[in-house]
Amino acid sequence: MRSMWAAAFLLRRLRVEIGIALLIVGLVAATSLVFSAAPRLLDRVSDDGLRHEIETSGPVQRNLQLSTVSVLPDAEDSLEAVNELGDGFADQFPAVLRNAIGGRQLAFTTVRFAIADPPAYTTFVTLRYQSGLDGAIRMTDGRLPASTGDSLAQASFGLDPAEEPPPPVPPVFEIAVSDATAAEIGVGVGDVLFGSADGADPLIGRAFQRAPEARFEVVGIYSVTDPDAEAWYGDRALQVVNIGGTLDSPIAFATGLVAPDTLDGLVTAQMPLRYQWRYLVDPARLDAGQEEALTTGLQRLETEFQTTSSDASLATGVVLRTGLLDIVERYHDQRAATTAVLSVAAIGPFALAVGAIGMIGILLVSRRRPSLELTRGRGATGWLLLGTQLWEGLLLAAPPALIGWGLATLILPGRPSLASAILGLLVCLAAAFALVLATWPAARRPYGASDRDEAPPLRASPRRLVLEGTAVFLAVAGALLLRQRGLAIADEEVRFDPFLAAVPVLATVAVGIVLLRVYPFPIRAGGWLAARRRDLVPVLGLRNVGRHSAAVALPLLVLMLTAAFTAFASVVSVTVDRGQQDSSWQEVGADYRIDTISGAGLSSQIDPDAIDGVQAWADALVDVAAPFEGQSNQRTSIYLNAPDLAAYTDVVEGSPASLEIPAEMREEADPTAGTPERPIPAIISRRLPAGSVPINPGAIFQLTVRGQPMTMEVVQVRETFAGVPPETAFVVASFEQLAAAYRNPPLLPSAVLLRGPESIEKDVATTFAEQSASVRFTSRHAVYRAMLEAPLVAAIGDGFRLTMLVSALYTAIAVIAALTLSAARRRREEALLRTLGLSGGQSLWLTVVEHAPSVFLAVLPGLALGIGIAYLLAPGMGLSAFAGGGTLGLRIDWLVVGLVSLALAAVVALAIGIGTWAARRARAADALRFGDD
């Protein structure tokens, strides 16, 4: 009965401390909401990341194509037979892939036909039908082709050589060609081309006894409205002519579009045709939860079909062409890296939440000490106190934790998340355990052994010293381990590791432990000096710091952890953002870049000066495969980037792409240069084409520029150059020097590089599109925005910024709660001191003196510690993967650091104001009521 009375007495205190109970309930509910929502938010980001990775990949990579070269039996409806065959192949796909298919396209291609008496030069024409082109082309002359009902003559494959073949009757096939093709081979609407099947076509593989002949009537000319549309599937055969042969004897390989019903007339010759079934993947039908099934299904498909990464026109059997497995594997690595880095961000708020709840528990028990002593005196055992505190903790933690988890599920609907429920349960258990742990010293202490004031932490038991030493050792070991190997766990794959993710928090706690051991000495010294003064406030404030260590030390730890983590998060966020900006400069080479689609010279219509807002511009010659000879008998290619260096310096001035140009490349252009006697100076990459010997400054090599061999001399070796793709061997030369040495002038630029603000992006794109239809526009600003929009990359910056905000909120709650919980003790002191003449202003300064040391000892060292942790650990976090790769230097935004300092100071000032207001409410008579708390 005595035990039940004691338990009832302890539980009855919730009614008296309703404000504190509501504070704990709100803190637990908010923590449960945050950490229950985190896995669901990560799932949503992961789903968006997978879909974004698929959407931004090319159509060849993200879709599936099955192709075969075969001879179909002659039938009335050959097209239907081909579609049924494609449906049968789709039925073999795993369920996850079948469900992801959002559409299907069909294409068939004939052998090439040699054109007799071509209008321009040697010409071959291939017939092709390709579905889905309605929105990708626009008829500029004539009409789309239709089926004429003619059939291609029977090929002489199976005829007896001794028999006389029947005389040929060339059928007529209607075709449409692109405007670029029509201009290149010199045809127009109404022209009729006579051709015969080319027996040397690899699609056939052997010569005809008598080649089938046909006539091709051009009935329409179309323009390509979207050269990058998914319907083209990365194949430009229907857009432009492929030029082969030599400069003296060029050969045009053209492709004509035919009607789908033409297939019936083509199969009569029993010649092989190439059939392609393209299965279009709808990213919206996939999510990260299907990643494992998707990977397994794609691997199974690769075992069932032959696979290729290029055109399968020469392969036999059914060939699968897709890059979807590579996309999923790349996404898997990116997601693992994102999860690992975000885990570092999530540990900080979680530690702050646990610390805030634990701090409130410790201060709450300290406030309840008189009532606990009274209960012990009436027969309550220590285990009864702990059991009662456990029930109280569960009563205060379980309902709000459940509410927080429910709100997270309601706010972020989606796939069921076991991690969300587990984290909500952990928050509940952590809160209850923290309250029990805070009660443990008071419950296990012998009756009557408690002192009125707490001793400063100058002396500690051996057990506590061992625990603190272990914490410091773990922090040092974790920092060294993370610095040495990073977040890569096995096979260089970045994965989540709770210990490594907690290293920044462990390091901060370790420094906080050391600081707590040291801070009493300057406080005592300050109290001794203050005692020599005549005023009362400084000495009372500093002595209160020493007498009530928990009320000061615990907020100090919270403040230090917040300051350190916030500084660390700001450095990481700024570093990733600046790295993304640098990467956009490296990719484009300027704010805006205009390239010719064909790689030939730019049109004379291009005029950058016609655009308002262009600050500088430079011409450039770009050849992605310039013939390169670094040694005798070497035949390979290299990336040539030759800007007008004088103008290009103005384009990139003050940007991450700015460069120092060697003096030799700034010299006046020499028409006699480019010979072994007068080589053209050039910059070359440290990475060279395969089979090259190392090239150092002063070395000579040969480069063919637009068909003319030129001798060049290395004047500088660089790792990278803006505008050149990473991991690419390159040569950089002066466009002016190349143009002067070119024997067949003029040497036309193939690109223009511009400098200008983001506000003129639309005007630049529109103007150049109007000036020439054969240019490709690239914006550095768009590249940077694309990086920010990539979900798994954007999650890093957003995650760290969100955790900074959550950490600041926890700090505000913790500090205000600490002052609120110590208000009872301060009210007694204020009431007593007011009887001695303490004024309101002195009361405020007394509170300031109490907490100013903790602010200075926590915020400033915490900020420095956070920056130091970032410099120590960030290189091992793999942040370069989120900024386009390459070397990523850490950046500090001192404005952000200053704002963090001001925000923390404002939080403390607000808490001091609330504490002072609460203390001023005390009446002088309250000084006589010491035992009522």
Side-chain angles (χ1 to χ4, degrees), residues 547-567:
R547 293 168 57 201
H548 306 287
S549 59
V552 177
L554 295 176
L556 183 147
L557 276 176
V558 172
L559 279 173
M560 171 170 280
L561 185 59
T562 303
F565 179 76
T566 306

Side-chain angles (χ1 to χ4, degrees), residues 72 77-87 104 106-108 263 275-277:
L72 287 183
D77 196 344
S78 302
L79 190 63
E80 183 179 352
V82 173
N83 282 322
E84 289 178 356
L85 188 59
D87 292 337
R104 196 186 75 193
L106 171 66
F108 60 79
L263 182 61
Y275 301 94
Q276 296 170 324
W277 297 270

Side-chain angles (χ1 to χ4, degrees), residues 60 64 73 131 142 216 277 348 353 369 395-396 469 476 588 627 703 717 725 743 759 791 811:
V60 176
L64 296 95
S131 62
F216 309 113
W277 297 270
R369 189 183 308 157
L395 181 63
L396 292 176
V476 174
V588 181
L703 189 71
V717 178
R743 302 290 182 265
S759 58
T811 300

Side-chain angles (χ1 to χ4, degrees), residues 637-689:
S637 61
I638 199 169
Y639 192 105
L640 171 62
N641 187 3
D644 181 348
L645 292 176
Y648 186 61
T649 302
D650 296 333
V651 172
V652 298
E653 183 180 4
S655 73
S658 60
L659 71 158
E660 289 291 333
I661 303 173
E664 298 88 341
M665 300 180 68
R666 295 197 300 266
E667 295 178 357
E668 187 176 351
D670 185 356
T672 64
T675 63
E677 294 77 19
R678 296 187 61 82
I680 296 175
I683 299 172
I684 198 167
S685 60
R686 196 171 302 279
R687 175 188 293 272
L688 297 174

